[in-house]
Amino acid sequence: MAEGYTLNWGIVLITASLGVVAVGTMFLISYLMAPRRFSVIKDIPYECGIEPSPFRWSQIQIRYYVFAILFLIFDVEAVFLFPWVLIYLDSIPAVFYEMLIFIAILFFGVVYGWRKGVLQWR
Amino acid sequence: MNLQQVFMYSVGASLILGFLSLTVLFLTWLERKFLARLQMRMGPMRVGPYGTLQPLADAVKLIFKEDILPSWADRKVYWLAPLAVFVPTFLVWVTIPFARDLVLANLELGLFYVTAVSVLSILGLVMAGWGSANKWAILGGLRAAGQLVSYEIPLIMAILGVAMLTQSLNIIEVVDGQTRVANFIIQPLGFFIFFTAGLAELGRTPFDIHHAESEVVGGPFVEYSGAHWAVFYLAEYINTFTIAILTALLFLGGWRWPDMPLDGLSHSALSVAWLLLKAYLVVILIFWIRGTYPRLRIDQLMAFSWKVLVPLSFANIVLTGVVLYYDWHWSLLTVASLILMAGFFLSLTFYSGTAAERMTVSVHPARPEAISRRKMDL
């Protein structure tokens, strides 16, 4: 009998494969039952009533990446916060105050980015 | 793991999948009916009594519909994208309990697992956008990434606030911690942040900019049809129910608040009913919001996350930490949260930009000249 770590992640694995199988079955039924008639005009990418422009993947503005980097910063912070919330009441006072200082530094980061206009979508 | 366990948990997971499928069928009917009544229409009436068989008819139609593959598409990415959206949304349900003993795996790090897994479906949306090789789809996929990633931070912070109150990441222990008083009374600020950020994670109106019909004509889903589109639809409604049931579990007291007198089997049955009732109340609220508010602009959306929700969620964590550390009474936290919330919104209303911009929260037009007019970027 598996238990603990192996059991938990085994269940996650079983559930994931069940999800894949369920969706795969749906696709299979659709593949077998649905009509499929090829047509050059039908298969061109959708555009609002006109012919699509010849390039396929257009260039993307930098602003999306800026927010992705911001997300990375705060997500890493969340990873530090998760163990902290479980132990800070039972450990030495320094644990509590140090995390407050850490949050303050990160909050200063938000304020700095705000003043610099990074948070503005342009 | 031996074979017996594999079989047992497969059956359990299948039951959850069946429950979710039925829920999605019901939710689509409920949403159409509810929105119709809000707009003084009848909604679906033809198929079955009061249109109750409409979702079944829709499902059958979608599966038997032609599945078009655009000729420019990146085939593998295009076909795999629905899977990458659906599987993480389904995986969240591994650790969501319906009652004390009715859970597939009572993970000790349940809340951490939920936050970690639910983010993965962003990848699927970006894949759908990229694979379609359509400019609307790419724009929609990237908007989805930007939006979901921004609202993930407040969502995680609100979940952390709940975990602080019970000193546990296990969802069942979080529910048990609310026997006397539910978390939304202790942490109104956390409840507000969680619900708003959750709504944005769903990508429903008013936060539906990544598949806004009038802007990016369906976003990442624009090229999909038939069964593949149906899977996206399924995932969207499962997500809606996930956020609703998480709100019920984490903030509305789950099956514990207010406590019920019965015990034994009847208590379990009543627990499930009580939890589902709360979840459906939240679902109705979500539909109501969809029927009431207009769509936000993308700059308003990002500004709302980073300038309102993120600072407020930091404040929520620090406030909760201080109150718990000095062992003050919880009502202090309630009062402080409400005052902070009111103060923040009032200050935004009075000190942000010109009169026209004050109509919406912390917003100004996306024109550079309007931005450079002011020193402060609020």
Side-chain angles (χ1 to χ4, degrees), chain B residues 280-300:
Chain B
Y280 272 104
L281 282 179
V282 180
V283 164
I284 290 282
L285 186 62
I286 291 172
F287 291 164
W288 190 2
I289 288 171
R290 175 175 174 179
T292 311
Y293 286 100
R295 183 184 302 135
L296 290 166
R297 271 198 329 254
I298 188 166
D299 59 321
Q300 291 172 327

Side-chain angles (χ1 to χ4, degrees), chain A residues 2-119:
Chain A
E3 46 190 286
Y5 188 83
T6 328
L7 180 66
N8 285 339
W9 295 112
I11 296 171
V12 171
L13 199 68
I14 289 174
T15 315
S17 34
L18 187 84
V20 173
V21 167
V23 173
T25 317
M26 203 162 142
F27 289 168
L28 189 71
I29 295 173
S30 161
Y31 178 76
L32 294 175
M33 307 295 275
R36 182 81 184 98
R37 290 185 187 85
F38 293 93
S39 147
V40 176
I41 298 297
K42 189 165 69 185
D43 289 350
I44 58 174
Y46 169 79
E47 182 65 83
C48 304
I50 52 171
E51 280 184 28
S53 34
F55 59 87
R56 295 177 180 190
W57 284 283
S58 40
Q59 287 179 326
I60 300 303
Q61 282 222 7
I62 186 75
R63 54 194 181 189
Y64 294 97
Y65 300 99
V66 172
F67 282 97
I69 291 167
L70 276 173
F71 168 70
L72 213 58
I73 297 167
F74 289 103
D75 218 28
V76 171
E77 185 210 356
V79 170
F80 286 123
L81 279 171
F82 266 104
W84 174 75
V85 300
L86 299 182
I87 57 149
Y88 78 105
L89 285 183
D90 304 324
S91 38
I92 53 174
V95 174
F96 177 64
Y97 294 111
E98 275 176 10
M99 192 48 90
L100 285 192
I101 293 169
F102 180 60
I103 292 176
I105 292 171
L106 275 158
F107 188 70
F108 176 75
V110 177
V111 174
Y112 180 75
W114 195 333
R115 295 300 296 265
K116 281 282 176 187
V118 178
L119 303 186

Side-chain angles (χ1 to χ4, degrees), chain A residues 1-3 6-16 18-20 22-24 26-27 29-30 33-38 40 42-48 52-58 60 64-65 67-68 70-71 74-75 77-79 81-82 84-94 96-97 100 103 106-107 110 114-122, chain B residues 1-2 5-6 9-10 13-14 17 63-72 74 79 82-83 86-87 90-91 94 104-105 107 111-113 115 119 130 133-136 138-139 142-143 149-150 152-153 156-157 160 163-164 167-169 217 222-223 227-228 230-231 298-299 302 306-307 310-311 314 317-318 320-322 324-326 364 366 371 376-378:
Chain A
M1 295 289 273
E3 46 190 286
T6 328
L7 180 66
N8 285 339
W9 295 112
I11 296 171
V12 171
L13 199 68
I14 289 174
T15 315
L18 187 84
V20 173
V23 173
M26 203 162 142
F27 289 168
I29 295 173
S30 161
M33 307 295 275
R36 182 81 184 98
R37 290 185 187 85
F38 293 93
V40 176
K42 189 165 69 185
D43 289 350
I44 58 174
Y46 169 79
E47 182 65 83
C48 304
S53 34
F55 59 87
R56 295 177 180 190
W57 284 283
S58 40
I60 300 303
Y64 294 97
Y65 300 99
F67 282 97
L70 276 173
F71 168 70
F74 289 103
D75 218 28
E77 185 210 356
V79 170
L81 279 171
F82 266 104
W84 174 75
V85 300
L86 299 182
I87 57 149
Y88 78 105
L89 285 183
D90 304 324
S91 38
I92 53 174
F96 177 64
Y97 294 111
L100 285 192
I103 292 176
L106 275 158
F107 188 70
V110 177
W114 195 333
R115 295 300 296 265
K116 281 282 176 187
V118 178
L119 303 186
Q120 185 58 41
W121 187 268
R122 24 182 138 232
Chain B
M1 276 183 110
N2 57 28
Q5 274 177 323
V6 170
Y9 287 112
S10 304
S14 313
L17 187 63
I63 286 180
F64 290 92
K65 191 179 168 182
E66 178 172 3
D67 223 343
I68 298 174
L69 172 74
S71 50
W72 291 358
D74 187 339
W79 289 134
L83 214 62
F86 177 79
V87 172
F90 178 47
L91 269 185
V94 165
L104 200 59
L107 299 181
L111 289 174
F112 188 64
Y113 171 81
T115 53
V119 188
W130 186 258
N134 179 314
K135 59 176 136 182
W136 307 116
I138 296 179
L139 255 180
L142 281 159
R143 277 181 166 200
V149 142
S150 297
E152 198 66 38
I153 305 291
I156 294 174
M157 294 294 173
L160 272 172
M164 284 169 103
Q167 292 293 303
S168 168
L169 290 171
V217 292
V222 62
E223 295 289 358
H228 285 77
V231 171
I298 188 166
D299 59 321
M302 302 304 259
W306 289 102
K307 295 178 181 176
V310 168
F314 275 122
I317 296 252
V318 171
T320 313
V322 168
L324 287 179
Y325 191 76
Y326 292 108
H364 42 204
I371 294 160
M376 257 286 270
D377 206 9
L378 179 68

Side-chain angles (χ1 to χ4, degrees), chain B residues 185-216:
Chain B
I185 300 174
I186 305 178
Q187 272 188 347
L189 185 59
F191 177 62
F192 167 75
I193 294 168
F194 183 84
F195 187 69
T196 317
L199 211 60
E201 286 290 307
L202 299 176
R204 299 182 76 83
T205 331
F207 298 105
D208 65 341
I209 55 142
H210 67 266
H211 51 91
E213 290 82 3
S214 50
E215 293 169 25
V216 288

